Amino acid sequence: MHKPDPKSRPPTAAARETAVEGQALNAIPWHSLSDEQQILQQLGTTLEGLSADEAATRLQQYGPNALTPPKKPGFLAKLWAQLNNVLIFILLAAAIVVAGLQEWIEFGLIIGVIAVNVLIGMIQEGKAEKAAEAIKAMLSSSANVFRDGKRISVDADQLVPGDVVAIKSGDRLPADLRLLQVTNLQVQEAMLTGESVPISKNLIPVAETAGLGDRKCMAFSATTVSAGQGLGVVVATGDNAEIGKINKLVSEVKNVKTNLII
């Protein structure tokens, strides 16, 4: 694998102005771009990576490379979310009526149905919270990145779009990368694509509509390098990465209606 050219310079202010002006990074189909220089220019960077100052500026602009934690409501909020349902209110009204009639068996049955429904709903909500925590645990804690032309190790949450990252066998990907150089690179992407075998990566662009599994010129955050090595430029971090989109979907799951009240 070729090393970055030490003669190349960090991007100038003019170059940065051309970097994705007026267009969101995640709207660009990085997997369909074929020219390495075009990719780097879009991101306002070079193979030498960003300067420390530019990286700090982008960190302020894009935020840390971390997933937004899901909101965790308290017990009473969870309980109310399960009780706040028209059918539950009807059952409660029925329970009051049968209690007034001293029909204690029917009263017990109705209260039992409500209790079971609430219990199932809270268990389902707890599973969704655990799923979000499991996704966060998949993220890498560090990354080998080029800054000011030097290869250094930084905390993964300090990565920003435009950083040039080196990856090798055993690494967990710290962000979504558009690959620039690969040497027998294989990545395990089962968590994203469902493929049970590692994917052999290359630099060949694909159609904009290609699925994640077909984007072999890309490497995605939280997946694992099973063989080889490569060099890629960060195109998405945190919630904008593919794993971040999954985390957002999991976090936004609404309270599930159980079979008892459907």
Side-chain angles (χ1 to χ4, degrees):
M1 182 176 68
H2 296 294
K3 295 182 178 179
D5 182 2
K7 294 182 181 180
S8 61
R9 299 176 180 177
T12 62
R16 290 195 296 270
E17 289 177 0
T18 64
V20 202
E21 223 174 271
Q23 186 179 23
L25 287 177
N26 58 3
I28 298 177
W30 299 105
H31 53 278
S32 68
L33 301 182
S34 59
D35 183 67
E36 177 184 291
Q37 289 305 315
Q38 179 189 10
I39 295 168
L40 294 173
Q41 185 180 25
Q42 288 270 42
L43 289 161
T45 189
T46 71
L47 284 177
E48 280 289 276
L50 301 171
S51 67
D53 290 341
E54 178 63 17
T57 299
R58 295 192 184 193
L59 187 62
Q60 291 293 323
Q61 178 183 356
Y62 296 107
N65 178 31
L67 301 180
T68 301
K71 295 180 180 179
K72 293 184 177 181
F75 175 79
L76 292 180
K78 292 180 181 179
L79 180 61
W80 171 247
Q82 299 302 322
L83 292 174
N84 187 21
N85 183 282
V86 174
L87 292 180
I88 294 294
F89 293 152
I90 292 174
L91 288 173
L92 287 173
I96 293 174
V97 170
V98 297
L101 297 174
Q102 296 185 351
E103 299 288 346
W104 301 117
I105 296 178
E106 288 81 356
F107 175 79
L109 288 175
I110 295 173
I111 294 300
V113 168
I114 295 174
V116 170
N117 176 77
V118 169
L119 179 61
I120 293 175
M122 295 188 73
I123 289 175
Q124 289 176 328
E125 190 171 341
K127 288 181 178 179
E129 291 180 359
K130 289 181 179 179
E133 293 174 358
I135 290 174
K136 186 176 180 180
M138 296 177 183
L139 301 182
S140 173
S141 60
S142 62
N144 291 312
V145 63
F146 287 91
R147 295 271 174 89
D148 293 311
K150 298 179 181 179
R151 179 169 171 170
I152 60 173
S153 178
V154 300
D155 291 339
D157 62 3
Q158 299 299 300
L159 287 182
V160 295
D163 265 328
V164 176
V165 177
I167 55 177
K168 65 182 186 307
S169 179
D171 287 350
R172 180 164 287 180
L173 274 294
D176 284 4
L177 308 178
R178 174 54 164 93
L179 296 172
L180 303 175
Q181 300 172 8
V182 296
T183 303
N184 301 321
L185 183 64
Q186 295 185 335
V187 180
Q188 178 58 260
E189 297 180 341
M191 59 173 294
L192 290 179
T193 65
E195 292 286 346
S196 60
V197 296
I199 304 299
S200 296
K201 296 295 182 176
N202 56 49
L203 305 181
I204 302 173
V206 294
E208 291 187 21
T209 56
L212 290 181
D214 296 323
R215 301 177 188 180
K216 297 183 179 180
C217 58
M218 300 286 296
F220 301 105
S221 178
T223 59
T224 305
V225 180
S226 57
Q229 56 184 333
L231 192 72
V233 60
V234 176
V235 298
T237 59
D239 292 334
N240 291 322
E242 293 298 330
I243 191 67
K245 296 174 184 177
I246 295 175
N247 178 68
K248 185 177 181 181
L249 289 174
V250 171
S251 300
E252 291 180 348
V253 169
K254 302 300 181 183
N255 293 329
V256 180
K257 291 183 179 180
T258 68
N259 293 333
L260 296 176
I261 63 172
I262 288 178

